[in-house]
Amino acid sequence: MKICHTQAMKQIKELEAQKKALIDFEDDNCVLSYKEGEAKTVSSYDYAKTRDEIEKLDAKIRAIRCALAAANCVVKVDGFNVTLGEALIMLAQMQNKKAQLESLSFKKQKSRSVTYNGVVEYSECVYDVEAVKAELKDLRLMISDLQIAIDRANLTNYIEVDL
């Protein structure tokens, strides 16, 4: 079956939800409690059948994830000349850089305070706060462009998955 990367990711999510439902059912129904003198109630839980269904779901998830991983190593992201895999790493790095630049951009270039004993103390950033704000603005735009390019690549590239 040929599907785009986004469809593959949505299928993985659905299969993971099905697996979680099976595990939740198993957790809730794998033990039977009854009182002395009472008849046991019949449970619809079947260990072997449940394990088999989970193994089948795991195999499908693995197949889709492997196909996606392979594609991420070769599919190029427009405008950035990197593969999808590299783009995802770049995006995480850019997000981390953005968090640091945001922290630096909130500082005042120069501030004044009075210490507990009445001495005036000055604090001054050893970098240009306005330059950091400008770099942050550019970085936000680049992150947005990269996210759009990743989304476009995920929607326009297809993988072959045998389910």
Short mmCIF file of all heavy atoms in Angstrom, two decimals, residues 22-71:
data_model
loop_
_atom_site.label_atom_id
_atom_site.label_comp_id
_atom_site.label_asym_id
_atom_site.label_seq_id
_atom_site.Cartn_x
_atom_site.Cartn_y
_atom_site.Cartn_z
N LEU A 22 -6.21 -2.76 23.86
CA LEU A 22 -6.05 -4.19 24.16
C LEU A 22 -5.35 -4.39 25.50
O LEU A 22 -5.76 -5.24 26.30
CB LEU A 22 -5.24 -4.87 23.06
CG LEU A 22 -5.98 -5.32 21.81
CD1 LEU A 22 -5.00 -5.83 20.77
CD2 LEU A 22 -6.99 -6.39 22.14
N ILE A 23 -4.31 -3.62 25.74
CA ILE A 23 -3.57 -3.75 27.00
C ILE A 23 -4.44 -3.32 28.18
O ILE A 23 -4.43 -3.98 29.23
CB ILE A 23 -2.25 -2.95 26.93
CG1 ILE A 23 -1.29 -3.63 25.95
CG2 ILE A 23 -1.61 -2.81 28.30
CD1 ILE A 23 -0.05 -2.83 25.61
N ASP A 24 -5.20 -2.25 28.00
CA ASP A 24 -6.12 -1.81 29.07
C ASP A 24 -7.16 -2.89 29.36
O ASP A 24 -7.46 -3.18 30.52
CB ASP A 24 -6.81 -0.50 28.70
CG ASP A 24 -5.86 0.69 28.72
OD1 ASP A 24 -4.74 0.56 29.27
OD2 ASP A 24 -6.25 1.76 28.19
N PHE A 25 -7.72 -3.48 28.28
CA PHE A 25 -8.69 -4.56 28.45
C PHE A 25 -8.06 -5.72 29.19
O PHE A 25 -8.65 -6.30 30.11
CB PHE A 25 -9.24 -5.02 27.09
CG PHE A 25 -10.16 -6.20 27.19
CD1 PHE A 25 -11.49 -6.02 27.53
CD2 PHE A 25 -9.69 -7.48 26.95
CE1 PHE A 25 -12.34 -7.11 27.64
CE2 PHE A 25 -10.53 -8.57 27.07
CZ PHE A 25 -11.86 -8.39 27.41
N GLU A 26 -6.83 -6.07 28.80
CA GLU A 26 -6.12 -7.17 29.44
C GLU A 26 -5.89 -6.88 30.93
O GLU A 26 -6.15 -7.73 31.78
CB GLU A 26 -4.77 -7.39 28.75
CG GLU A 26 -3.97 -8.54 29.32
CD GLU A 26 -2.73 -8.82 28.51
OE1 GLU A 26 -1.94 -7.88 28.27
OE2 GLU A 26 -2.54 -9.99 28.12
N ASP A 27 -5.43 -5.67 31.24
CA ASP A 27 -5.19 -5.29 32.63
C ASP A 27 -6.46 -5.37 33.47
O ASP A 27 -6.42 -5.77 34.64
CB ASP A 27 -4.60 -3.88 32.72
CG ASP A 27 -3.16 -3.81 32.24
OD1 ASP A 27 -2.51 -4.87 32.12
OD2 ASP A 27 -2.69 -2.69 31.96
N ASP A 28 -7.58 -4.97 32.86
CA ASP A 28 -8.85 -4.96 33.60
C ASP A 28 -9.49 -6.34 33.72
O ASP A 28 -10.31 -6.56 34.61
CB ASP A 28 -9.85 -4.02 32.92
CG ASP A 28 -9.46 -2.56 33.04
OD1 ASP A 28 -8.62 -2.24 33.92
OD2 ASP A 28 -9.99 -1.74 32.26
N ASN A 29 -9.14 -7.27 32.83
CA ASN A 29 -9.87 -8.54 32.77
C ASN A 29 -9.01 -9.78 32.97
O ASN A 29 -9.50 -10.90 32.83
CB ASN A 29 -10.60 -8.65 31.43
CG ASN A 29 -11.69 -7.61 31.31
OD1 ASN A 29 -12.74 -7.74 31.89
ND2 ASN A 29 -11.41 -6.54 30.58
N CYS A 30 -7.74 -9.63 33.28
CA CYS A 30 -6.86 -10.80 33.39
C CYS A 30 -6.98 -11.51 34.74
O CYS A 30 -6.46 -12.61 34.90
CB CYS A 30 -5.41 -10.41 33.11
SG CYS A 30 -4.70 -9.31 34.35
N VAL A 31 -7.65 -10.91 35.69
CA VAL A 31 -7.84 -11.52 37.00
C VAL A 31 -9.34 -11.58 37.28
O VAL A 31 -10.07 -10.62 37.00
CB VAL A 31 -7.13 -10.70 38.11
CG1 VAL A 31 -7.45 -11.26 39.48
CG2 VAL A 31 -5.63 -10.68 37.87
N LEU A 32 -9.76 -12.69 37.82
CA LEU A 32 -11.16 -12.89 38.13
C LEU A 32 -11.31 -13.03 39.64
O LEU A 32 -10.62 -13.83 40.26
CB LEU A 32 -11.65 -14.18 37.42
CG LEU A 32 -13.10 -14.52 37.51
CD1 LEU A 32 -13.95 -13.45 36.84
CD2 LEU A 32 -13.35 -15.86 36.84
N SER A 33 -12.17 -12.21 40.22
CA SER A 33 -12.39 -12.28 41.67
C SER A 33 -13.80 -12.79 41.93
O SER A 33 -14.75 -12.43 41.23
CB SER A 33 -12.24 -10.89 42.30
OG SER A 33 -10.94 -10.41 42.14
N TYR A 34 -13.92 -13.60 42.96
CA TYR A 34 -15.24 -14.11 43.36
C TYR A 34 -15.17 -14.49 44.83
O TYR A 34 -14.11 -14.72 45.39
CB TYR A 34 -15.66 -15.30 42.49
CG TYR A 34 -14.69 -16.44 42.50
CD1 TYR A 34 -14.85 -17.52 43.38
CD2 TYR A 34 -13.59 -16.45 41.63
CE1 TYR A 34 -13.94 -18.57 43.40
CE2 TYR A 34 -12.68 -17.49 41.66
CZ TYR A 34 -12.86 -18.55 42.54
OH TYR A 34 -11.96 -19.58 42.56
N LYS A 35 -16.32 -14.52 45.45
CA LYS A 35 -16.39 -14.85 46.87
C LYS A 35 -16.63 -16.34 47.05
O LYS A 35 -17.15 -17.02 46.16
CB LYS A 35 -17.52 -14.06 47.53
CG LYS A 35 -17.26 -12.57 47.53
CD LYS A 35 -18.42 -11.84 48.18
CE LYS A 35 -18.15 -10.34 48.11
NZ LYS A 35 -19.28 -9.55 48.53
N GLU A 36 -16.26 -16.78 48.21
CA GLU A 36 -16.47 -18.18 48.56
C GLU A 36 -17.96 -18.50 48.44
O GLU A 36 -18.82 -17.75 48.90
CB GLU A 36 -16.00 -18.43 49.99
CG GLU A 36 -16.04 -19.89 50.39
CD GLU A 36 -15.52 -20.12 51.81
OE1 GLU A 36 -14.85 -19.22 52.36
OE2 GLU A 36 -15.79 -21.18 52.34
N GLY A 37 -18.25 -19.59 47.77
CA GLY A 37 -19.63 -20.03 47.60
C GLY A 37 -20.29 -19.42 46.37
O GLY A 37 -21.41 -19.81 46.02
N GLU A 38 -19.66 -18.48 45.71
CA GLU A 38 -20.22 -17.88 44.49
C GLU A 38 -19.67 -18.59 43.26
O GLU A 38 -18.56 -19.10 43.27
CB GLU A 38 -19.83 -16.40 44.37
CG GLU A 38 -20.56 -15.47 45.29
CD GLU A 38 -20.17 -14.01 45.02
OE1 GLU A 38 -19.20 -13.76 44.28
OE2 GLU A 38 -20.85 -13.13 45.56
N ALA A 39 -20.46 -18.57 42.23
CA ALA A 39 -20.01 -19.14 40.97
C ALA A 39 -19.09 -18.13 40.28
O ALA A 39 -19.27 -16.92 40.38
CB ALA A 39 -21.20 -19.45 40.07
N LYS A 40 -18.07 -18.64 39.62
CA LYS A 40 -17.17 -17.77 38.85
C LYS A 40 -17.91 -17.21 37.65
O LYS A 40 -18.64 -17.94 36.99
CB LYS A 40 -15.95 -18.54 38.35
CG LYS A 40 -15.00 -19.01 39.41
CD LYS A 40 -13.82 -19.70 38.73
CE LYS A 40 -12.99 -20.47 39.72
NZ LYS A 40 -11.88 -21.19 39.05
N THR A 41 -17.67 -15.95 37.37
CA THR A 41 -18.24 -15.38 36.15
C THR A 41 -17.28 -15.70 35.00
O THR A 41 -16.08 -15.85 35.20
CB THR A 41 -18.40 -13.84 36.27
OG1 THR A 41 -17.14 -13.28 36.58
CG2 THR A 41 -19.42 -13.47 37.32
N VAL A 42 -17.80 -15.77 33.83
CA VAL A 42 -16.99 -16.09 32.66
C VAL A 42 -16.39 -14.80 32.11
O VAL A 42 -17.07 -13.80 31.94
CB VAL A 42 -17.84 -16.80 31.58
CG1 VAL A 42 -17.01 -17.09 30.34
CG2 VAL A 42 -18.45 -18.06 32.14
N SER A 43 -15.09 -14.83 31.85
CA SER A 43 -14.41 -13.67 31.29
C SER A 43 -14.16 -13.89 29.80
O SER A 43 -13.87 -14.99 29.37
CB SER A 43 -13.06 -13.48 32.00
OG SER A 43 -12.33 -12.45 31.38
N SER A 44 -14.28 -12.81 29.05
CA SER A 44 -14.01 -12.91 27.61
C SER A 44 -12.52 -12.77 27.31
O SER A 44 -12.11 -12.84 26.15
CB SER A 44 -14.80 -11.84 26.85
OG SER A 44 -14.43 -10.56 27.29
N TYR A 45 -11.71 -12.57 28.34
CA TYR A 45 -10.27 -12.41 28.16
C TYR A 45 -9.63 -13.74 27.80
O TYR A 45 -9.90 -14.77 28.39
CB TYR A 45 -9.63 -11.86 29.44
CG TYR A 45 -8.12 -11.89 29.41
CD1 TYR A 45 -7.40 -11.02 28.60
CD2 TYR A 45 -7.41 -12.79 30.18
CE1 TYR A 45 -6.03 -11.04 28.56
CE2 TYR A 45 -6.02 -12.83 30.16
CZ TYR A 45 -5.34 -11.95 29.35
OH TYR A 45 -3.97 -11.99 29.31
N ASP A 46 -8.77 -13.71 26.78
CA ASP A 46 -8.02 -14.89 26.35
C ASP A 46 -6.57 -14.45 26.19
O ASP A 46 -6.25 -13.65 25.30
CB ASP A 46 -8.59 -15.39 25.02
CG ASP A 46 -7.88 -16.63 24.50
OD1 ASP A 46 -6.64 -16.74 24.67
OD2 ASP A 46 -8.55 -17.47 23.89
N TYR A 47 -5.70 -14.96 27.04
CA TYR A 47 -4.29 -14.56 27.05
C TYR A 47 -3.64 -14.74 25.68
O TYR A 47 -3.04 -13.81 25.13
CB TYR A 47 -3.53 -15.35 28.11
CG TYR A 47 -2.04 -15.10 28.06
CD1 TYR A 47 -1.50 -13.96 28.66
CD2 TYR A 47 -1.18 -15.96 27.40
CE1 TYR A 47 -0.14 -13.70 28.61
CE2 TYR A 47 0.18 -15.71 27.33
CZ TYR A 47 0.69 -14.59 27.93
OH TYR A 47 2.04 -14.33 27.86
N ALA A 48 -3.74 -15.92 25.11
CA ALA A 48 -3.06 -16.22 23.84
C ALA A 48 -3.59 -15.34 22.71
O ALA A 48 -2.80 -14.82 21.90
CB ALA A 48 -3.23 -17.70 23.50
N LYS A 49 -4.89 -15.17 22.66
CA LYS A 49 -5.49 -14.35 21.61
C LYS A 49 -5.05 -12.88 21.75
O LYS A 49 -4.71 -12.24 20.76
CB LYS A 49 -7.01 -14.46 21.67
CG LYS A 49 -7.72 -13.68 20.61
CD LYS A 49 -9.23 -13.81 20.73
CE LYS A 49 -9.92 -12.88 19.76
NZ LYS A 49 -11.32 -12.69 20.05
N THR A 50 -5.03 -12.39 22.97
CA THR A 50 -4.63 -11.00 23.21
C THR A 50 -3.17 -10.80 22.83
O THR A 50 -2.81 -9.83 22.17
CB THR A 50 -4.86 -10.62 24.69
OG1 THR A 50 -6.24 -10.83 25.01
CG2 THR A 50 -4.49 -9.18 24.95
N ARG A 51 -2.29 -11.71 23.25
CA ARG A 51 -0.87 -11.61 22.89
C ARG A 51 -0.70 -11.64 21.38
O ARG A 51 0.12 -10.90 20.82
CB ARG A 51 -0.08 -12.78 23.50
CG ARG A 51 0.03 -12.79 24.99
CD ARG A 51 0.99 -11.75 25.53
NE ARG A 51 0.20 -10.66 26.11
CZ ARG A 51 0.50 -9.38 26.07
NH1 ARG A 51 1.58 -8.97 25.48
NH2 ARG A 51 -0.26 -8.47 26.60
N ASP A 52 -1.45 -12.50 20.70
CA ASP A 52 -1.36 -12.61 19.25
C ASP A 52 -1.79 -11.31 18.58
O ASP A 52 -1.13 -10.83 17.65
CB ASP A 52 -2.23 -13.78 18.76
CG ASP A 52 -2.09 -14.02 17.28
OD1 ASP A 52 -0.94 -14.15 16.80
OD2 ASP A 52 -3.13 -14.07 16.58
N GLU A 53 -2.88 -10.72 19.05
CA GLU A 53 -3.36 -9.46 18.48
C GLU A 53 -2.35 -8.33 18.71
O GLU A 53 -2.11 -7.52 17.80
CB GLU A 53 -4.72 -9.09 19.07
CG GLU A 53 -5.86 -9.98 18.60
CD GLU A 53 -7.19 -9.63 19.25
OE1 GLU A 53 -7.42 -8.45 19.56
OE2 GLU A 53 -8.00 -10.56 19.44
N ILE A 54 -1.75 -8.30 19.88
CA ILE A 54 -0.74 -7.27 20.16
C ILE A 54 0.48 -7.47 19.28
O ILE A 54 1.05 -6.50 18.75
CB ILE A 54 -0.38 -7.27 21.67
CG1 ILE A 54 -1.56 -6.71 22.48
CG2 ILE A 54 0.89 -6.46 21.93
CD1 ILE A 54 -1.41 -6.82 23.98
N GLU A 55 0.90 -8.71 19.09
CA GLU A 55 2.05 -8.99 18.20
C GLU A 55 1.77 -8.55 16.77
O GLU A 55 2.65 -8.00 16.10
CB GLU A 55 2.41 -10.47 18.24
CG GLU A 55 3.10 -10.91 19.51
CD GLU A 55 4.42 -10.18 19.75
OE1 GLU A 55 5.19 -9.98 18.79
OE2 GLU A 55 4.66 -9.81 20.92
N LYS A 56 0.55 -8.77 16.29
CA LYS A 56 0.19 -8.35 14.94
C LYS A 56 0.22 -6.83 14.82
O LYS A 56 0.71 -6.28 13.82
CB LYS A 56 -1.20 -8.87 14.57
CG LYS A 56 -1.24 -10.36 14.28
CD LYS A 56 -2.64 -10.83 13.98
CE LYS A 56 -2.69 -12.34 13.81
NZ LYS A 56 -4.07 -12.85 13.71
N LEU A 57 -0.29 -6.13 15.84
CA LEU A 57 -0.25 -4.67 15.83
C LEU A 57 1.19 -4.17 15.87
O LEU A 57 1.55 -3.24 15.13
CB LEU A 57 -1.05 -4.10 17.01
CG LEU A 57 -2.57 -4.23 16.93
CD1 LEU A 57 -3.21 -3.83 18.25
CD2 LEU A 57 -3.13 -3.41 15.78
N ASP A 58 2.01 -4.79 16.71
CA ASP A 58 3.43 -4.41 16.80
C ASP A 58 4.14 -4.58 15.46
O ASP A 58 4.96 -3.75 15.06
CB ASP A 58 4.15 -5.21 17.88
CG ASP A 58 3.92 -4.67 19.29
OD1 ASP A 58 3.45 -3.52 19.41
OD2 ASP A 58 4.20 -5.40 20.25
N ALA A 59 3.82 -5.65 14.75
CA ALA A 59 4.44 -5.90 13.45
C ALA A 59 4.06 -4.81 12.44
O ALA A 59 4.90 -4.33 11.68
CB ALA A 59 4.05 -7.29 12.93
N LYS A 60 2.79 -4.42 12.45
CA LYS A 60 2.34 -3.35 11.56
C LYS A 60 3.02 -2.02 11.91
O LYS A 60 3.48 -1.29 11.02
CB LYS A 60 0.81 -3.18 11.64
CG LYS A 60 0.04 -4.31 11.01
CD LYS A 60 -1.47 -4.09 11.17
CE LYS A 60 -2.26 -5.24 10.59
NZ LYS A 60 -3.71 -5.04 10.75
N ILE A 61 3.07 -1.72 13.20
CA ILE A 61 3.71 -0.48 13.65
C ILE A 61 5.18 -0.46 13.23
O ILE A 61 5.69 0.53 12.72
CB ILE A 61 3.56 -0.31 15.18
CG1 ILE A 61 2.10 -0.07 15.54
CG2 ILE A 61 4.45 0.80 15.70
CD1 ILE A 61 1.78 -0.20 17.03
N ARG A 62 5.86 -1.60 13.44
CA ARG A 62 7.27 -1.71 13.06
C ARG A 62 7.47 -1.50 11.57
O ARG A 62 8.38 -0.77 11.15
CB ARG A 62 7.81 -3.09 13.46
CG ARG A 62 8.86 -3.08 14.49
CD ARG A 62 9.51 -4.42 14.78
NE ARG A 62 8.87 -5.64 14.34
CZ ARG A 62 7.97 -6.33 15.07
NH1 ARG A 62 7.61 -5.90 16.26
NH2 ARG A 62 7.46 -7.43 14.62
N ALA A 63 6.60 -2.10 10.76
CA ALA A 63 6.72 -1.98 9.31
C ALA A 63 6.59 -0.52 8.87
O ALA A 63 7.37 -0.03 8.05
CB ALA A 63 5.67 -2.85 8.62
N ILE A 64 5.62 0.17 9.43
CA ILE A 64 5.40 1.57 9.04
C ILE A 64 6.55 2.43 9.55
O ILE A 64 7.08 3.27 8.81
CB ILE A 64 4.05 2.08 9.58
CG1 ILE A 64 2.90 1.29 8.95
CG2 ILE A 64 3.89 3.56 9.28
CD1 ILE A 64 1.54 1.55 9.59
N ARG A 65 6.97 2.23 10.79
CA ARG A 65 8.06 3.03 11.36
C ARG A 65 9.37 2.82 10.58
O ARG A 65 10.11 3.77 10.34
CB ARG A 65 8.28 2.70 12.83
CG ARG A 65 7.25 3.32 13.75
CD ARG A 65 7.66 3.15 15.21
NE ARG A 65 6.65 3.62 16.11
CZ ARG A 65 6.48 4.90 16.46
NH1 ARG A 65 7.29 5.81 15.97
NH2 ARG A 65 5.53 5.25 17.30
N CYS A 66 9.64 1.59 10.19
CA CYS A 66 10.87 1.30 9.42
C CYS A 66 10.81 1.97 8.05
O CYS A 66 11.82 2.54 7.60
CB CYS A 66 11.06 -0.21 9.28
SG CYS A 66 11.60 -0.99 10.81
N ALA A 67 9.66 1.92 7.39
CA ALA A 67 9.52 2.57 6.09
C ALA A 67 9.70 4.08 6.22
O ALA A 67 10.36 4.72 5.39
CB ALA A 67 8.17 2.23 5.47
N LEU A 68 9.12 4.65 7.27
CA LEU A 68 9.28 6.09 7.51
C LEU A 68 10.73 6.45 7.81
O LEU A 68 11.25 7.44 7.29
CB LEU A 68 8.42 6.52 8.70
CG LEU A 68 7.02 7.03 8.41
CD1 LEU A 68 6.27 7.33 9.70
CD2 LEU A 68 7.02 8.23 7.50
N ALA A 69 11.37 5.66 8.65
CA ALA A 69 12.77 5.93 9.01
C ALA A 69 13.66 5.89 7.78
O ALA A 69 14.54 6.74 7.60
CB ALA A 69 13.25 4.93 10.06
N ALA A 70 13.44 4.91 6.91
CA ALA A 70 14.23 4.80 5.68
C ALA A 70 13.99 6.02 4.78
O ALA A 70 14.94 6.59 4.23
CB ALA A 70 13.89 3.51 4.95
N ALA A 71 12.74 6.42 4.66
CA ALA A 71 12.42 7.58 3.81
C ALA A 71 13.01 8.85 4.39
O ALA A 71 13.49 9.72 3.65
CB ALA A 71 10.90 7.71 3.66
#
